[in-house]
């Protein structure tokens, strides 16, 4: 790290241009700027580039200055967008939330986990998991899958999943949502029964609450259940199973890793 831009050794976001063999620094933050009651709240992590390499999203608990940032005085973990090539610390704050998720209890309110593809190729669409209330349907702070449209200066949000009541034993989390390169389909794992059948069974829907892979058609706003497995005996709480998944450009082929016995 550059000693002048990272004097306290804080974790920062860097970009490496493989063609030019050159590093550039995205964030320059100081632990001393995020101390609450003698506890350091700041962090920068989980950076992810769009396919074209023009947009970068990352999770941070710092309060960046700027017209489209400067909204994180409580140092909550929020999502920030950086347009590659712009100046150091030039970011857009995408999420603005408070506190923690209702389920899991005291869990992170915004997630940008590894093993996901949150951007479409152009970086105009971003999928993520959050307990925020971005589409005015999530006041109960359940963790849901959201789709952010970044194609205009003011992003708009679509809530893909909708758990209507908080239940500590039933509300799902750990969706690990990804979007395909063309921005037409979102895939994720869930214990929810998103396509209930008239006669429920392991081979018809997800009435048993096992962790299954779903595909969401963005244009039609419809779900399709792709896997049909019994409740896993490898984990007591099916919600703790994680299923990363990725769809091809057409959305007709999906790869995934399913924890099942």
């Amino acid at each position: 790290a550059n000693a002048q831009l990272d004097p306290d050794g804080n974790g920062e976001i860097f970009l490496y241009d493989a063609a030019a063999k050159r590093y550039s620094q995205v964030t320059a933050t100081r632990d001393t700027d995020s101390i609450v009651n003698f506890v350091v709240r700041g962090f920068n992590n989980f950076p992810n580039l769009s396919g074209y390499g023009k947009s970068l999203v990352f999770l941070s608990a710092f309060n960046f200055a700027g017209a489209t940032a400067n909204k994180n005085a409580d140092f909550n973990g929020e999502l920030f967008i950086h347009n590659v090539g712009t100046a150091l610390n030039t970011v857009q704050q995408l999420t603005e939330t408070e506190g923690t998720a209702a389920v899991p209890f005291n869990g992170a309110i915004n997630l940008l986990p590894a093993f996901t593809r949150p951007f479409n190729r152009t970086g105009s669409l971003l999928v993520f998991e959050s307990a925020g209330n971005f589409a005015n349907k999530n006041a109960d702070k359940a963790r849901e899958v959201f789709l952010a449209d970044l194609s205009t200066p003011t992003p708009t949000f679509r809530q893909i999943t909708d758990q209507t009541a908080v239940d500590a034993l039933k509300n799902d989390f750990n969706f690990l949502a990804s979007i395909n390169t063309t921005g037409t389909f979102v895939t994720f794992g869930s214990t929810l029964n998103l396509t209930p059948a008239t006669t429920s069974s392991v081979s018809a829907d997800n009435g048993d609450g096992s962790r299954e892979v779903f595909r969401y058609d963005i244009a039609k706003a419809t779900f399709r259940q792709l896997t049909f497995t019994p409740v896993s005996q490898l984990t007591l709480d099916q919600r703790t199973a994680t299923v990363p998944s990725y769809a091809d450009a057409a959305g007709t082929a999906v790869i995934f890793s399913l924890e099942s016995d």
Side-chain angles (χ1 to χ4, degrees):
N2 187 311
Q4 293 182 333
L5 298 182
D6 194 17
D8 61 357
N10 191 41
E12 305 291 0
I13 307 294
F14 291 85
L15 280 167
Y16 180 70
D17 187 328
K21 298 181 180 180
R22 181 177 60 229
Y23 289 96
S24 60
Q25 190 167 341
V26 174
T27 63
T29 53
R30 301 184 304 172
D31 286 346
T32 55
D33 293 334
S34 64
I35 293 177
V36 179
N37 295 327
F38 304 102
V39 176
V40 176
R41 296 280 300 276
F43 62 83
N44 302 299
N45 59 24
F46 300 114
N48 199 298
L49 272 173
S50 62
Y52 283 164
K54 300 298 184 182
S55 298
L56 172 72
V57 63
F58 62 97
L59 195 66
S60 178
F62 283 99
N63 190 24
F64 293 92
T68 56
N70 199 29
K71 296 177 289 185
N72 197 28
D74 62 352
F75 306 115
N76 214 25
E78 305 288 358
L79 271 63
F80 293 86
I81 306 294
H82 172 78
N83 293 324
V84 176
T86 56
L88 180 77
N89 280 356
T90 303
V91 297
Q92 179 180 15
Q93 186 172 331
L94 182 63
T95 60
E96 184 179 357
T97 54
E98 297 178 349
T100 57
V103 179
F105 176 72
N106 206 34
I109 197 165
N110 298 302
L111 290 186
L112 193 65
F115 310 113
T116 63
R117 294 176 180 170
F119 272 126
N120 66 335
R121 181 180 288 115
T122 63
S124 61
L125 295 174
L126 177 80
V127 67
F128 63 100
E129 180 178 336
S130 177
N133 189 19
F134 308 112
N136 296 320
K137 296 194 300 178
N138 198 35
D140 56 10
K141 298 180 77 171
R143 285 233 290 255
E144 307 284 3
V145 178
F146 289 90
L147 181 68
D149 186 340
L150 309 176
S151 61
T152 58
T154 302
T156 57
F157 297 89
R158 181 193 301 192
Q159 186 172 323
I160 293 178
T161 58
D162 189 10
Q163 302 178 84
T164 55
V166 169
D167 186 330
L169 299 178
K170 294 182 179 179
N171 277 89
D172 197 14
F173 50 92
N174 289 334
F175 294 99
L176 295 188
S178 292
I179 190 169
N180 64 342
T181 57
T182 52
T184 52
F185 291 96
V186 171
T187 57
F188 58 91
S190 182
T191 62
L192 301 175
N193 194 10
L194 298 172
T195 57
T198 303
T199 302
S200 181
S201 70
V202 171
S203 60
D205 62 8
N206 197 31
D208 63 356
S210 53
R211 175 70 73 183
E212 305 293 352
V213 179
F214 291 87
R215 189 191 71 174
Y216 177 77
D217 186 318
I218 294 175
K220 297 178 180 178
T222 55
F223 296 99
R224 179 177 178 180
Q225 185 172 332
L226 303 183
T227 61
F228 298 84
T229 61
V231 172
S232 174
Q233 302 302 310
L234 300 177
T235 178
L236 293 177
D237 188 341
Q238 302 298 298
R239 299 173 300 177
T240 62
T242 54
V243 184
S245 59
Y246 313 102
D248 68 350
T252 55
V254 177
I255 60 172
F256 57 87
S257 176
L258 188 66
E259 294 182 13
S260 177
D261 54 324

